[in-house]
Amino acid sequence: MSRADLKGRGAVSDVRLPPRGRDQPPLTVSRRTTFYGTLFRNELHTTFRRWRTLALLAVLAAVPVLVGIAVKIETGNSSSSPSGSGPAFISQITNNGLFLVFTALAATLPFFLPMSIGVIAGDAIAGEANAGTLRYLLVAPAGRTRLLLTKYATVMTFCLVATLVVALSALTVGAVLFPLGDLTTISGTQITFAEGLGRALLIALVVAASLTGVAALGLFVSTLTNSGIAAMATTVGLLITVQILDQIPQLHALQPYFFSHYWLSFADLMREPVYWDDLVKNLGLQALYAAVFGSAAWARFMAKDITA
């Protein structure tokens, strides 16, 4: 990568602050805040302009379209609604298009969403090392800790954007193909369409928060290698392995500690009253994974020999 490319990233002259001499005043809080804000914006710009990122978001947006069309065709060929098999809420889509949002999130959460997060997180550090730009990103006063936090914040921003892309795509397709209106919760009570939209937004936020553990795991793996492809493949492989183990009955004692075990607990937000037990367990488990693997990523990155 040329110096011009690095300058475009803001890694060299755009965000670099001059070194302090004896006669220079210390860096103020406002200058540091401006620097870190610029660094974060440059990371976001670099991540979201990559074709790989755009392709992942396009695939995620296509899932609700395919599900909506499939349900529409199925109901057009049959006098009855789809059976209860398949992702949660799928049998209620024909009655209210808002349920396509819940169905799309349930369909993408086990694989598509975490796979996308694994790709972005796995490439966060290893990709920079492979491209030879990592040492330029460590220009003072950024430091390794702040760079790692910036990378993690960027991955978490992608988590939120990816989840909202699925939700908005599903809402649009649901409004086009199916009727909208008041909806019936899992408990059988009626809520208004506006309240349903509010719960859909809350569910999207919970789904994004459910991916914080995967993001931290991927970031840790990314600090172990200088190959972006190896880091991405390892993260996705661990994700698939954990979900397979979560389906083996003989491992029921360990399964509550797997990061994916409570992912679908967001469905409890569609109950009246809301069941909070599994939701709290899910968010607590994600916080634990984020703390453990985030600390491991920091320890490894601080000791890492940066040669590229």
Side-chain angles (χ1 to χ4, degrees):
M1 182 176 289
S2 65
R3 182 178 178 86
D5 293 334
L6 292 170
K7 184 177 180 180
R9 285 181 55 105
V12 182
S13 60
D14 286 351
V15 299
R16 185 173 182 174
L17 295 178
R20 284 195 293 136
R22 292 183 178 180
D23 298 331
Q24 289 181 306
L27 295 176
T28 63
V29 174
S30 61
R31 291 183 68 196
R32 287 184 177 274
T33 302
T34 301
F35 172 79
Y36 300 138
T38 303
L39 181 63
F40 178 57
R41 288 194 300 271
N42 287 333
E43 284 299 321
L44 288 179
H45 182 259
T46 301
T47 299
F48 283 95
R49 74 179 179 180
R50 288 174 176 158
W51 284 108
R52 178 178 60 234
T53 304
L54 298 177
L56 290 172
L57 293 176
V59 170
L60 292 171
V63 172
V65 177
L66 296 176
V67 173
I69 293 176
V71 172
K72 187 69 174 180
I73 293 175
E74 178 66 19
T75 55
N77 294 335
S78 174
S79 58
S80 61
S81 298
S83 63
S85 61
F89 310 113
I90 196 169
S91 62
Q92 303 186 55
I93 294 177
T94 54
N95 298 323
N96 196 317
L98 188 57
F99 278 103
L100 185 58
V101 176
F102 313 134
T103 302
L105 290 173
T108 54
L109 184 54
F111 181 71
F112 291 105
L113 274 172
M115 181 202 69
S116 302
I117 305 307
V119 169
I120 300 299
D123 190 55
I125 299 297
E128 299 286 2
N130 186 59
T133 57
L134 184 56
R135 59 182 176 178
Y136 293 102
L137 293 176
L138 293 175
V139 173
R144 300 194 182 200
T145 299
R146 295 183 179 91
L147 177 60
L148 193 67
L149 289 175
T150 300
K151 289 288 187 179
Y152 187 68
T154 302
V155 176
M156 289 310 304
T157 301
F158 178 81
C159 289
L160 181 60
V161 170
T163 304
L164 292 178
V165 163
V166 175
L168 291 175
S169 175
L171 181 61
T172 302
V173 175
V176 171
L177 298 181
F178 307 103
L180 296 176
D182 295 347
L183 63 159
T184 304
T185 66
I186 296 176
S187 304
T189 59
Q190 288 284 127
I191 60 176
T192 64
F193 178 71
E195 187 176 354
L197 280 177
R199 295 204 185 191
L201 177 59
L202 182 58
I203 285 175
L205 294 177
V206 169
V207 170
S210 299
L211 298 168
T212 55
V214 173
L217 174 62
L219 195 63
F220 169 63
V221 173
S222 187
T223 63
L224 300 177
T225 177
N226 290 335
S227 172
I229 295 178
M232 289 184 284
T234 301
T235 304
V236 174
L238 288 172
L239 168 68
I240 295 174
T241 301
V242 168
Q243 297 207 66
I244 291 175
L245 295 177
D246 200 22
Q247 303 301 318
I248 299 177
Q250 290 79 3
L251 299 178
H252 67 278
L254 298 176
Q255 288 167 353
Y257 301 99
F258 294 155
F259 56 75
S260 62
H261 187 71
Y262 296 105
W263 272 353
L264 297 182
S265 62
F266 72 80
D268 289 339
L269 289 170
M270 284 302 297
R271 300 182 186 276
E272 192 65 39
V274 174
Y275 292 176
W276 293 103
D277 290 350
D278 285 350
L279 286 166
V280 171
K281 290 178 181 178
N282 176 42
L283 296 179
L285 189 63
Q286 301 309 319
L288 177 62
Y289 269 86
V292 171
F293 285 102
S295 299
W298 175 83
R300 169 58 183 165
F301 192 51
M302 293 298 291
K304 188 179 180 66
D305 183 19
I306 307 298
T307 58

